Amino acid sequence: MFDILMFLFESYFHAGRYPNSDKLTRKLSAAGFEDEDIHLALTWLSGLEQLNKANYPSTINDSSGRFYADLEIKRMSFEVRRFLTFWEQNKIITPVEREMILDRAVALNRENLPLDKIKLITLMVLWNQRQDLDPLIVEDLLTPADSSCLH
């Protein structure tokens, strides 16, 4: 499914949106993706499209920290939680966007998601919420977590 999300971002980022489900299913199938993966990705994207900042209480933005539920801890490593905290504290994402990222991560029903997968989820959430993304943010989210600086 993550390959499909990356394909969508690479193919439709400049267009601003990906096509509707029927057209997208045909394009993904033509690109060689398996039917089961397409179905999972479309279900996940449907949940993403339903996320709306107005559905979250405004008090989230006033909170000073986030305690993770046991389920969230199982789904996301300490490294992932540290990444989300760092981005939130540095105002790259808002607390509501953090909650949206957590919603989409938990929806995958997988344990111990690696940072690279969370970065892709973050990219998809931000792309879904904003018209334009800072190129440095996009680059950071697309850079593998285990890559080292070559200076």
Side-chain angles (χ1 to χ4, degrees):
M1 187 191 86
F2 288 103
D3 291 337
I4 291 175
L5 297 181
M6 183 57 76
F7 175 84
L8 292 177
F9 182 78
E10 290 173 347
S11 300
Y12 299 105
F13 175 69
H14 293 294
R17 296 287 298 159
Y18 41 85
N20 66 40
S21 293
D22 293 336
K23 188 174 183 180
L24 187 55
T25 299
R26 287 190 302 275
K27 286 192 177 273
L28 292 172
S29 185
F33 292 105
E34 300 286 328
D35 288 342
E36 184 178 342
D37 290 337
I38 293 171
H39 175 72
L40 290 172
L42 291 178
T43 300
W44 190 88
L45 287 168
S46 175
L48 176 66
E49 291 171 356
Q50 293 174 20
L51 295 179
N52 184 335
K53 290 181 180 182
N55 293 341
Y56 293 85
S58 61
T59 55
I60 288 177
N61 291 317
D62 301 328
S63 64
S64 62
R66 173 66 154 81
F67 292 97
Y68 290 89
D70 289 340
L71 178 63
E72 294 168 332
I73 291 171
K74 284 182 183 178
R75 300 282 165 87
M76 291 162 285
S77 68
F78 176 74
E79 180 183 32
V80 166
R81 296 189 310 271
R82 185 176 59 200
F83 165 79
L84 292 173
T85 300
F86 177 82
W87 272 46
E88 182 183 348
Q89 288 175 345
N90 286 283
K91 311 278 189 238
I92 300 168
I93 60 172
T94 66
V96 170
E97 290 166 338
R98 176 204 62 220
E99 293 303 312
M100 292 176 170
I101 294 163
L102 292 171
D103 175 87
R104 295 293 75 213
V106 169
L108 291 172
N109 202 22
R110 295 184 185 173
E111 289 195 11
N112 208 18
L113 284 167
L115 183 56
D116 289 345
K117 303 302 186 209
I118 295 297
K119 283 182 161 188
L120 184 54
I121 291 169
T122 301
L123 182 63
M124 295 303 290
V125 167
L126 295 178
W127 182 36
N128 191 60
Q129 295 298 311
R130 299 183 180 146
Q131 290 298 322
D132 54 345
L133 289 172
D134 185 308
L136 293 175
I137 289 174
V138 173
E139 181 181 348
D140 189 35
L141 292 172
L142 292 176
T143 301
D146 60 357
S147 68
S148 58
C149 292
L150 301 173
H151 292 275

